[in-house]
Each structure stands twice: as structure tokens, then as C-alpha cells.
Amino acid sequence: MNAPAVLVRIETLHVGDVFTTAAVDRLWLTLGPEDMSFQEREPWTWERLARLEGWAVGAPYQDAASAGLWVHRTAHAVAPHVEVRTKSWSSMTRHAFLVGGVRAALLTCSGGCRHDSGELLNRIGHFVPEEPDDDPLGMRVWRVPVPAGARGDRRLVPGSDHVALQEGSRLVARLSFHGGGWSQAQVAGAWAALLDHVA
């Protein structure tokens, strides 16, 4: 599931006979309390949930349907719908964000990358639309509010279809958006990640 958080519902079954009954939990990943078609999916186990990388256990949950717990995606979790292809040259590195072979975003780092590649690329990937298209970008990036807060002399400079991260007058990185599937919230999240995860 490509969601910032999932609700794990816990179903406890009693298996065995009259003399050797044991309680066994089946876990169901859902999109939230309103997602009641969860039993149409494959059940999970505690062992499988424990091996899930890049997710953090959150608060417990209880409603009339079942007990459960929230699990939150972190920047260490790869967005399941995005493939990132990286090419490096002496003067730059490019990270292309592809969904089904269609480019949805392009991060160009000037010189060497100044970010932890996994964390930043995963974080941007979380905001990439799940169904990109070849339509023009449906908004002007410069209209998206710039994240508040001082980051030394680093600042974001938005253009019509991209945002540049500058340090003083030097270009550090540029993030371009492609296709009509981007919302203002997705663009804002991606460029806030750029500002937060580049050293």
C-alpha cells in the first residue's frame, strides 16, 4: 500500500480441539477505519510485520470491528510504485523518478550529491503521483507556498515546473515535475523534503 500510514487490524482465532485450543492472530493491513474490505486481501503475521523495513509502529487502535495498531511510513521505506534511476557525470548526478516507465520527476544534483540518497529519494518518491501522464504540469510551481523556517543560507527558488535549491548564489539541486498528476500538496511535500534532506 502506498499510504503514509496503515491501520493493522488484529483478528484473534482459536484453533485446535476442545483440549488443545490456542489463540492465533491474523493481521490485516487496511487504509484506515473506513476500509472494511480488508479480509479480501492476504492476511499477515506478526513475524512478517516485524520484518517490514522503513515503517514505525504507532498508537494502538480499537473500534467495534476489532483491535489494531497504526503503522507509519518513514523516509527509509521505498515508495512501492516508484523506480529511481540514477546517472552520474563529473559535473552532476540525475535521479529520475519513474512510474510504470513514465518519468514523473527529475532531481538534478550539481556536482556531487549532498544527500543521503536513500532517505531523500524515498521521501520524494512518497509524493510522486501513482498514475503519471504525459500531460503538461497542471499548476505553476511558483504558486506553491515555500516552506517556512531558516536553513542557513539555503533557500528554495520556484520556477514554472521546477524548484531549485540554492546556497547563496550557488545551485545545489533542481527538482523538476512532469505530468498532470501532481497536486499542490504533493509538490510542496517533495520540495520540503529536498530542503530538509540536503546537507
Side-chain angles (χ1 to χ4, degrees), residues 108-168:
T108 304
C109 300
S110 298
C113 294
R114 291 175 41 185
H115 57 84
D116 172 313
S117 61
E119 191 168 352
L120 174 62
L121 301 182
N122 289 344
R123 178 68 74 187
I124 292 172
H126 295 170
F127 295 104
V128 170
E130 292 192 37
E131 296 180 12
D133 54 43
D134 292 329
D135 293 341
L137 191 64
M139 72 182 75
R140 294 290 177 244
V141 172
W142 55 264
R143 291 186 176 171
V144 177
V146 176
R151 308 291 199 290
D153 60 348
R154 289 183 300 138
R155 69 185 193 290
L156 292 171
V157 180
S160 61
D161 65 351
H162 69 277
V163 64
L165 176 62
Q166 290 190 273
E167 190 171 63

Side-chain angles (χ1 to χ4, degrees), residues 7-167:
L7 174 61
V8 180
R9 289 196 176 272
I10 304 167
E11 178 185 20
T12 302
L13 305 172
H14 297 280
V15 297
D17 56 32
V18 175
F19 303 104
T20 59
T21 300
V24 176
D25 289 337
R26 281 198 302 192
L27 308 180
W28 303 94
L29 269 60
T30 75
L31 294 172
E34 299 79 25
D35 180 7
M36 297 307 289
S37 62
F38 57 88
Q39 290 183 324
E40 297 172 5
R41 302 183 190 110
E42 176 188 358
W44 282 49
T45 63
W46 287 113
E47 292 80 16
R48 185 176 177 192
L49 188 64
R51 290 193 307 269
L52 189 61
E53 295 182 4
W55 292 76
V57 175
Y61 179 84
Q62 178 75 50
D63 65 11
S66 74
L69 57 97
W70 287 99
V71 181
H72 303 274
R73 182 189 296 276
T74 71
H76 299 288
V78 176
H81 67 295
V82 176
E83 176 189 2
V84 179
R85 291 187 190 161
T86 299
K87 290 185 180 181
S88 295
W89 296 269
S90 59
S91 60
M92 74 176 108
T93 300
R94 286 188 169 171
H95 309 281
F97 296 82
L98 307 172
V99 178
V102 177
R103 186 165 77 185
L106 179 66
L107 173 63
T108 304
C109 300
S110 298
C113 294
R114 291 175 41 185
H115 57 84
D116 172 313
S117 61
E119 191 168 352
L120 174 62
L121 301 182
N122 289 344
R123 178 68 74 187
I124 292 172
H126 295 170
F127 295 104
V128 170
E130 292 192 37
E131 296 180 12
D133 54 43
D134 292 329
D135 293 341
L137 191 64
M139 72 182 75
R140 294 290 177 244
V141 172
W142 55 264
R143 291 186 176 171
V144 177
V146 176
R151 308 291 199 290
D153 60 348
R154 289 183 300 138
R155 69 185 193 290
L156 292 171
V157 180
S160 61
D161 65 351
H162 69 277
V163 64
L165 176 62
Q166 290 190 273
E167 190 171 63

